[in-house]
Amino acid sequence: MSTKRVLVTGGLGFIGSHTVVALQNEGFEVVIIDNLSNSSIDVLGGITQITGKTPEFENIDLREKAAVKNFFDKYPDIEDVIHFAASKAVGESVTNPLLYYENNLSTLVYLLHELNKKENSKFIFSSSCTVYGQADNLPITENAPVKKAESPYGNTKQIGEEIIQDTCKVNKSFKAISLRYFNPVGAHPTAEIGELPIGTPQNLIPFITQTAIGKRKELSVFGDDYPTKDGTAVRDYIHVMDLAEAHVHALKRLMNANEKDNYEVFNLGTGKGNSVLEVINSFEKVSGEKLPYKIVGRREGDITAAYADTTKANKELKWEANRSLDEALKSAWKWQLVVKKAEEEEN
Ligand code: WQD
């Protein structure tokens, strides 16, 4: 049980809010920084509903260097940070790269600058399997080569990891872990929090649930001519609560262990790959809804297949994903029904 306060940036976002719940469940005190650019203040109430504890919240834009410094002046005890705050839409990053380089990298530098003034700071970075591109071998281990990014978004994850690694090289008292997420999906089982995409969802699962609820006409399946079991692309869909709990394990590793390396990388996935058609079948089974979809051409930049080799995370983090795809899709559907009801009550 720890009462040390942990800073979670982007803590009102999809993965951030679920991680705050997991941290509070483990007895951590959490302070959230979020600028509400891609999240809602209502998420704070959702977290409180689940855990009975309201995290401290600061509405700060991490692009404001002075605001970052003022935060750490106000919270001098905080030396442990889990950093989610970033822009994450692959397509948007292609059309607006400077927004991504500023929002995802200058903010990281300002945070690291403040943490490096402290004796014993620890940092967890929200990275992505996108750094691997189309890996040559499956499942993907942490030793797989990082390939040239397909998008500025992916590039900010690669550069972000390098910035952290270089910082760890010169400051041995600074310990950091990059967590490379595969495909986070689902919602907390209470449906008090979940994914809240703004506008047309880019990701598969929110598009599926919005189609099933009638908000979208039909799902476009981007390609069925891939060299996979059924021709549609394969991904490793990990329940967001499994992912959230992995962050707690990673933080405990940074707090307790004295590894020889003060910088480590872990893949976070289930170790299983599912095709788009398999996801559709699973969703129809758990929701009882027939999903209208059509096969269209491939989406630019998509890879054929990616799923994690989870050996290192299982062993070193003493963590494994134990929730099924069915469970994740069922929680996503339950959350979508709650969102629809709330929208109807608002109108
Ligand atoms: C999954 C599969 C699509 C939508 C990206 C980023 C990753 C992370 C998650 C931020 C693919 C197919 C999708 C649709 C479809 N980013 N699809 N119709 O592209 O694997 O990963 O989002 O957190 O870093 O790279 O996820 O959900 O967009 O797509 O057929 O309407 O579903 O082609 O095969 P992706 P995704």
Side-chain angles (χ1 to χ4, degrees), residues 42-169:
D42 296 343
V43 175
L44 209 51
I47 292 169
T48 307
Q49 281 299 319
I50 296 168
T51 65
K53 287 177 279 187
T54 303
E56 291 177 81
F57 170 65
E58 298 282 357
N59 182 346
I60 291 172
D61 189 327
L62 294 172
R63 288 173 295 187
E64 307 294 330
K65 186 176 182 179
V68 177
K69 181 185 180 310
N70 294 341
F71 173 84
F72 284 100
D73 291 346
K74 181 177 176 183
Y75 296 88
D77 60 302
I78 289 184
E79 58 186 23
D80 304 333
V81 177
I82 303 181
H83 180 45
F84 294 101
S87 301
K88 61 163 205 168
V90 175
E92 182 190 42
S93 77
V94 174
T95 55
N96 193 348
L98 286 181
L99 169 75
Y100 276 68
Y101 289 116
E102 183 191 32
N103 194 40
N104 292 8
L105 296 177
S106 64
T107 54
L108 173 63
V109 170
Y110 298 156
L111 278 172
L112 294 179
H113 186 68
E114 292 306 321
L115 287 176
N116 272 251
K117 295 175 184 172
K118 298 172 180 285
E119 279 308 302
N120 182 27
S121 49
K122 296 168 279 307
F123 192 77
I124 294 175
F125 180 60
S126 166
S127 189
S128 167
C129 65
T130 202
V131 301
Y132 298 115
Q134 177 55 69
D136 301 323
N137 302 305
L138 295 172
I140 303 172
T141 71
E142 288 81 357
N143 300 320
V146 169
K147 293 193 174 173
K148 179 161 175 28
E150 302 266 346
S151 68
Y153 159 77
N155 206 24
T156 65
K157 292 303 180 185
Q158 291 180 5
I159 299 169
E161 288 191 4
E162 289 168 6
I163 290 171
I164 296 162
Q165 191 168 19
D166 289 344
T167 305
C168 288
K169 277 180 192 152

Side-chain angles (χ1 to χ4, degrees), residues 193-306:
I193 54 175
E195 195 166 6
L196 275 172
I198 294 174
T200 307
Q202 300 305 306
N203 293 128
L204 179 64
I205 302 323
F207 204 104
I208 285 179
T209 58
Q210 287 193 11
T211 300
I213 205 86
K215 194 167 183 176
R216 309 286 163 196
K217 178 171 167 294
E218 63 184 352
L219 171 74
S220 296
V221 175
F222 297 142
D224 67 347
D225 58 349
Y226 286 100
T228 62
K229 50 191 117 171
D230 58 24
T232 61
V234 170
R235 296 290 186 274
D236 183 334
Y237 296 97
I238 177 171
H239 195 297
V240 66
M241 279 314 294
D242 279 326
L243 193 62
E245 288 160 7
H247 289 74
V248 180
H249 287 252
L251 183 60
K252 287 180 175 178
R253 179 176 177 83
L254 288 174
M255 286 177 161
N256 304 331
N258 282 308
E259 302 310 311
K260 61 180 178 8
D261 294 335
N262 62 329
Y263 177 68
E264 295 181 292
V265 174
F266 294 96
N267 286 346
L268 295 183
T270 66
K272 288 186 286 298
N274 284 110
S275 72
V276 177
L277 290 179
E278 283 176 331
V279 171
I280 292 171
N281 293 338
S282 167
F283 177 78
E284 291 184 331
K285 180 178 66 175
V286 301
S287 66
E289 300 287 333
K290 188 85 185 96
L291 191 83
Y293 68 88
K294 64 181 177 186
I295 306 287
V296 299
R298 295 183 179 188
R299 178 173 65 179
E300 184 69 27
D302 272 357
I303 58 168
T304 299

Side-chain angles (χ1 to χ4, degrees), residues 10 15 46 67 94 110 135 175-176 179 208 212 236 245 288 305 335-336 340:
I15 304 167
V94 174
Y110 298 156
K175 299 201 290 184
L179 296 176
I208 285 179
D236 183 334
E245 288 160 7
W335 165 247
Q336 182 67 70
K340 178 173 193 288

